[in-house]
Amino acid sequence: MPYLADAQFPKSLMFVSGLELWQWVNQAKTEARSSDIPLAEIDWLLQELAGLDRLALRLESFKDLPKIELKLSLSELAQLWQRRLQERVPVQYLTGVAHWRHFSLKVTPAVLIPRPETELLIDLAVEAVKSYGVNPKSHWVDLGTGSGAIAIGLASALTNARVYAVDCSSEALAVARLNAENLGLESRINFYQGSWWEPLAFLKGRVSGMVSNPPYIPSSTVLTLQPEVLKHEPHLALDGGFDGLECIRHLVETAPDYLESGGVWLVEMMAGQAEAVADMLDSHGSYCDVQIFSDLAGIDRFALAYRL
Ligand SMILES: C[S@@+](CC[C@H](N)C(=O)[O-])C[C@H]1O[C@@H](n2cnc3c(N)ncnc32)[C@H](O)[C@@H]1O
């Protein structure tokens, strides 16, 4: 069976009894425990595919329902679950949906599954606008947009901004465009295929904010990642070259040509990279007020600076 996201949903929905589904859930929980997969992932599957809410899943109250609508048959659900167990396919690729901030985003294996820590980039951008008087109205860019998560977050939070989203992958851009359309934000975001700033020459000197979650994992570390990431997420989204910093270094070098004075440079990075990134920004000569912010786990995760 392909990813659910690739499959056509059947024209008529499938029905199972609450008891049948509950029995399947119990078996799936046993399998999850022995495969070291969080039990919450079964809930995610059923929230998407059976329309059950978290409370019904936690209290198992769905067990008493005479019939539950599924988006696929019970045997297809079991097949999807086997792909999770055996091939270690992330559940978001199986359902085709990832929840990020208050958005439901389509995801396919062409895009990185947007991570919870990345959500904070939007708050940092909003804070920069409020506290440092960065222009909220003009041009903001999301370089390496993937699913479009950051561009969508910026367009939604900075209601007067125009957002320019770039990715070198045409497949990723197709997903990002669809997400923007589904959320009614397509008129606020322009999408470009190309490498980093290269398609945005017309914005030189006029950008208020650059936000990016570039590939930042050292090439040799990529090969050691858990199978969910290594086997299923796009390497183009992960591999940051020999020291993991190749893309970030490029963004430090190139952004000054595009940012207006006072414009913000904001990037996500990996644990252990903060000092090197702060040094690059400090020693470049085009930035001021270099700051490092941590994520909710206390890891130094974001670097922010302003164009002099
Ligand atoms: C870590 S992912 C981030 C995706 C998304 N912004 C997010 O935060 O979930 C990095 C993205 O950068 C893109 N990318 C890699 N090299 C690039 C390049 N030279 N120019 C533009 N985008 C690039 C990848 O295709 C991928 O979508």
Side-chain angles (χ1 to χ4, degrees):
M1 184 174 180
Y3 298 102
L4 183 66
D6 301 337
Q8 293 287 328
F9 286 133
K11 292 209 170 41
S12 57
L13 293 165
M14 310 280 174
F15 293 96
V16 285
S17 72
L19 186 62
E20 276 176 295
L21 191 59
W22 180 79
Q23 285 165 341
W24 180 82
V25 168
N26 278 331
Q27 189 196 323
K29 281 184 179 167
T30 308
E31 291 167 336
R33 278 191 200 95
S34 56
S35 304
D36 245 353
I37 289 174
L39 296 186
E41 294 198 9
I42 300 166
D43 289 1
W44 299 351
L45 260 186
L46 295 182
Q47 281 169 40
E48 295 304 328
L49 305 179
L52 294 174
D53 63 35
R54 285 161 67 183
L55 191 63
L57 287 160
R58 179 140 55 90
L59 300 179
E60 301 190 341
S61 54
F62 67 89
K63 179 184 173 188
D64 302 322
L65 295 172
K67 69 178 184 183
I68 295 174
E69 279 184 6
L70 289 183
K71 287 183 177 170
L72 70 188
S73 71
L74 199 53
S75 67
E76 286 167 331
L77 174 63
Q79 280 179 53
L80 273 191
W81 179 242
Q82 287 310 311
R83 297 204 59 201
R84 177 72 193 95
L85 293 172
Q86 282 158 29
E87 298 168 40
R88 311 298 289 196
V89 181
V91 83
Q92 294 92 335
Y93 288 151
L94 291 175
T95 60
V97 179
H99 296 279
W100 191 83
R101 289 182 75 87
H102 54 287
F103 309 110
S104 243
L105 299 174
K106 177 187 162 86
V107 289
T108 73
V111 301
L112 187 93
I113 297 165
R115 304 296 204 266
E117 55 269 29
T118 306
E119 296 181 0
L120 289 177
L121 278 174
I122 307 302
D123 300 315
L124 290 170
V126 170
E127 193 52 36
V129 166
K130 274 200 217 143
S131 315
Y132 293 85
V134 177
N135 185 355
K137 288 194 186 147
S138 87
H139 309 295
W140 284 72
V141 303
D142 168 17
L143 300 184
T145 196
S147 63
I150 295 172
I152 285 166
L154 289 172
S156 160
L158 304 176
T159 48
N160 290 313
R162 169 145 296 278
V163 180
Y164 301 81
V166 177
D167 207 289
C168 57
S169 155
S170 59
E171 282 174 292
L173 279 176
V175 174
R177 265 199 200 96
L178 191 69
N179 279 323
E181 277 165 28
N182 289 344
L183 292 161
L185 288 167
E186 73 275 19
S187 63
R188 305 264 322 285
I189 307 175
N190 295 19
F191 293 94
Y192 297 87
Q193 186 181 3
S195 186
W196 307 126
W197 292 100
E198 175 253 330
L200 303 180
F202 62 97
L203 285 178
K204 277 195 175 168
R206 298 196 292 138
V207 174
S208 299
M210 179 213 86
V211 185
S212 181
N213 173 19
Y216 51 58
I217 302 174
S219 306
S220 55
T221 308
V222 170
L223 301 174
T224 67
L225 296 173
Q226 61 189 103
E228 281 79 356
V229 181
L230 179 63
K231 285 171 63 185
H232 299 287
E233 298 208 77
H235 281 216
L236 187 59
L238 303 169
D239 192 336
F242 76 101
D243 63 353
L245 291 169
E246 280 181 9
C247 304
I248 294 180
R249 203 174 282 119
H250 178 77
L251 296 179
V252 171
E253 288 297 323
T254 49
D257 285 346
Y258 292 83
L259 290 172
E260 62 189 8
S261 177
V264 67
W265 185 99
L266 173 57
V267 157
E268 179 175 320
M269 63 201 162
M270 187 173 151
Q273 293 177 336
E275 204 182 323
V277 176
D279 281 352
M280 279 181 215
L281 288 161
D282 276 330
S283 60
H284 191 273
S286 306
Y287 300 93
C288 60
D289 285 339
V290 174
Q291 298 168 55
I292 300 296
F293 294 90
S294 51
D295 62 19
L296 296 179
I299 295 168
D300 284 345
R301 175 71 67 193
F302 311 103
L304 185 150
Y306 296 91
R307 175 77 172 98
L308 273 170

